Amino acid sequence: MAFVLRRLGFYIAAFFVAATINFILPRLMPGNPIDIMFAQSQTTIPPEARAALIETFGFATGPLHEQYFSYLKSVFTGDFGYSIRFYPQTVNERLGYALPWTLLLAGCATVLAFAIGTLMGIFAAWKRGGAFDAIITPASLALQAIPPVVIAIVALFVFGVALRWLPTGYAFNPSLDPGFTWTYISSVFVHGLMPVISLMIVFVGGYLVTMRNNMIGQLGEDHVIMGLAKGLSERRVKFNYAARNALLPSVTSLGLTLGAILGGSLVTEVVFNYPGLGQTLYIGIVTRDYPLIQGQLLIMTLAILTANLIVDLAYVLLDPRLRRA
């Protein structure tokens, strides 16, 4: 319990630091969202109308410390006001629409990358030096070095434009009404196939290499040698003796790479015009939509901190030494 409370206190402090950075960053960006909105439409408004718009969108115009306390109030009440780009939608409504799509995209890509990479790493380490290890390990390292935007653009061109096997954008066919129907669900599956696979390819190599290295380190341990000497089956020694202990660093890596997954999701969503949080954040940055940017970054911060807290708790469950300590 002491370990859990220490980690919880650390993540609460980290959230306050991230929230403060989240407040400062948009205000360092050049331009004013109200002025940009009317500059894009090539119209002008009188000063009193501009002041009314500033009040409508909830922009604090006082000293910086007053703006900061007003911002903290909105953080803890969950009221980020109206979105400038998607007005009259509120920030919560817009993010509430985009969040499930990002969870679907990043969640599927993460689970697939972790499962496939971990299994391939186990087999590559068990038969290290063999043909499978000689091919799959360098290939995974090469894929890991390729930026997500390159994978996404190549997949879009090959399978969407050249071969026309898969749709080139959006989350489903716009002509369909959302609902729990086979037509709609199949459309979501087909439209999400290319973004999920392109995002998964980028991260599967990291899990594979991590698991392979950890597994090789475990194969020389006494408990693995003893298991083989006792005549236990190869499968049992491989998974119950070696892979279980080698999995601990990979579980930690799973939480640490969540931020990279969300960053890759942003690029992938922009390339495929996928209506998730990444696409929403991109639109918010381009239009200087401060409330939308702040709400989006807070969601990403909470997601990363929560994932790392879950990883810490999972580490306690997987490693009995932490519980005894």
Side-chain angles (χ1 to χ4, degrees), residues 23 50 70 80 125 133 176 193 219 236 239 242 267 269 274 297 318 325:
F23 168 80
R50 184 177 183 275
S70 176
F80 296 101
D133 183 32
L176 298 177
L193 195 59
L219 292 179
R236 184 175 180 183
F239 290 102
V267 174
E269 288 177 8
Y274 202 80
L297 292 179
L318 291 172

Side-chain angles (χ1 to χ4, degrees), residues 224-295:
V224 176
I225 298 174
M226 178 63 71
L228 293 172
K230 289 166 62 177
L232 298 178
S233 65
E234 181 180 298
R235 177 185 177 86
R236 184 175 180 183
V237 174
K238 182 192 306 181
F239 290 102
N240 291 10
Y241 282 64
R244 181 177 179 180
N245 292 314
L247 191 63
L248 294 175
S250 294
V251 172
T252 302
S253 176
L254 178 63
L256 295 176
T257 56
L258 180 62
I261 289 284
L262 291 175
S265 175
L266 188 152
V267 174
T268 304
E269 288 177 8
V270 172
V271 171
F272 292 103
N273 194 27
Y274 202 80
L277 292 176
Q279 174 82 336
T280 302
L281 178 61
Y282 172 75
I283 295 173
I285 293 173
V286 171
T287 58
R288 303 293 192 273
D289 192 340
Y290 290 173
L292 189 64
I293 294 173
Q294 290 176 337

Side-chain angles (χ1 to χ4, degrees), residues 64-132:
L64 195 61
H65 68 278
E66 293 182 4
Q67 296 184 35
Y68 179 69
F69 287 116
S70 176
Y71 161 75
L72 286 181
K73 180 182 177 181
S74 68
V75 169
F76 288 105
T77 58
D79 182 14
F80 296 101
Y82 290 100
S83 168
I84 298 174
R85 172 63 179 80
F86 299 100
Y87 184 82
Q89 281 187 320
T90 64
V91 172
N92 292 342
E93 289 173 346
R94 187 61 198 176
L95 295 180
Y97 171 78
L99 180 60
W101 295 112
T102 293
L103 291 178
L104 178 65
L105 174 62
C108 291
T110 303
V111 171
L112 289 173
F114 181 77
I116 296 173
T118 299
L119 286 175
M120 289 197 302
I122 291 173
F123 287 108
W126 191 259
K127 300 292 185 181
R128 60 190 182 280
F132 180 78

Side-chain angles (χ1 to χ4, degrees), residues 197-220:
I197 293 177
S198 62
L199 188 59
M200 179 205 71
I201 288 174
V202 178
F203 296 102
V204 70
Y207 293 119
L208 188 153
V209 173
T210 300
M211 190 63 189
R212 176 186 179 275
N213 294 338
N214 296 335
M215 186 78 173
I216 290 176
Q218 287 293 321
L219 292 179

